[in-house]
Amino acid sequence: LVVEVHTIVVLIRSCLATLATVLNIDSSRFFDEYDKKDEVIAFGNESVPFKTRDLICDFSILMQKYYGKGIWGASAADDIEEYEADVVFIDDLRRPDELEVLRQRFGEKLITIYLDKEDVDSVETTQQLSEAAQKFESKLSKEDLDHTFTFTSDWSNTSDLLALIKS
């Protein structure tokens, strides 16, 4: 199978990196330093420290406010329609508005899987996030999606997920 991977947040990060470049602000936090997304840091010539994840979340909400709730789902769907893949994995699908657009566009061809991990308490994890990030965590429930899969603590059952996907 030819497989493509689509991560919705990459488009948001690209928008913010472009904006930072236009404003002559260090844009490394969006790709080069993205592993520090949850640290409060000022990069390069930035004057105010902040969490990269918070800016991404706030920017996403701002764009939805002015361009409609479906902007990120529609953008993902437009990209996916250009792929010549047999299978597309969409990562970072977090909100009902994105899922709604993808379901409308792809219908029965869209298969969704709720991923969980046995040693992660999603409620506790969500509570530890900032207000901005909480707007994106745990917004889709197991009931919203077609299948549920729980990883073991050491990820050793990943092959079982691949078998589920193939089936």
Side-chain angles (χ1 to χ4, degrees), residues 12-158:
I12 298 167
R13 289 164 49 193
S14 296
C15 291
L16 287 166
T18 300
L19 182 59
T21 300
V22 168
L23 296 173
N24 194 29
I25 297 170
D26 187 342
S27 64
S28 66
R29 71 166 61 238
F30 301 110
F31 290 99
D32 304 338
E33 304 280 350
Y34 193 67
D35 58 318
K36 298 177 182 174
K37 67 183 177 292
D38 290 316
E39 297 177 31
V40 177
I41 302 174
F43 284 90
N45 62 352
E46 298 172 352
S47 58
V48 179
F50 62 89
K51 289 182 183 180
T52 302
R53 179 184 290 206
D54 289 351
L55 177 56
I56 288 169
C57 294
D58 287 338
F59 179 76
S60 176
I61 295 291
L62 180 69
M63 294 299 289
Q64 287 180 311
K65 177 179 177 180
Y66 290 99
Y67 294 101
K69 290 266 186 211
I71 186 170
W72 302 118
S75 177
D78 291 346
D79 282 351
I80 291 166
E81 286 180 337
E82 299 295 319
Y83 296 163
E84 295 182 16
D86 300 305
V87 176
V88 177
F89 288 97
I90 304 170
D91 187 24
D92 270 347
L93 180 63
R94 307 264 177 136
R95 296 168 47 106
D97 44 64
E98 296 164 349
L99 179 58
E100 175 73 21
V101 170
L102 293 169
R103 279 198 170 131
Q104 287 175 358
R105 190 81 68 95
F106 298 112
E108 292 178 9
K109 291 168 58 176
L110 180 69
I111 300 168
T112 57
I113 304 172
Y114 184 95
L115 299 177
D116 222 343
K117 192 164 180 265
E118 65 183 14
D119 61 342
V120 174
D121 181 347
S122 60
V123 173
E124 181 182 323
T125 301
T126 301
Q127 289 172 343
Q128 294 174 4
L129 295 172
S130 67
E131 182 181 335
Q134 285 183 11
K135 294 176 183 174
F136 290 85
E137 290 299 322
S138 302
K139 298 304 176 194
L140 292 172
S141 68
K142 294 175 183 180
E143 295 76 29
D144 294 325
L145 306 177
D146 302 318
H147 303 279
T148 299
F149 183 83
T150 303
F151 286 105
T152 54
S153 60
D154 64 357
W155 306 92
S156 63
N157 66 335
T158 302

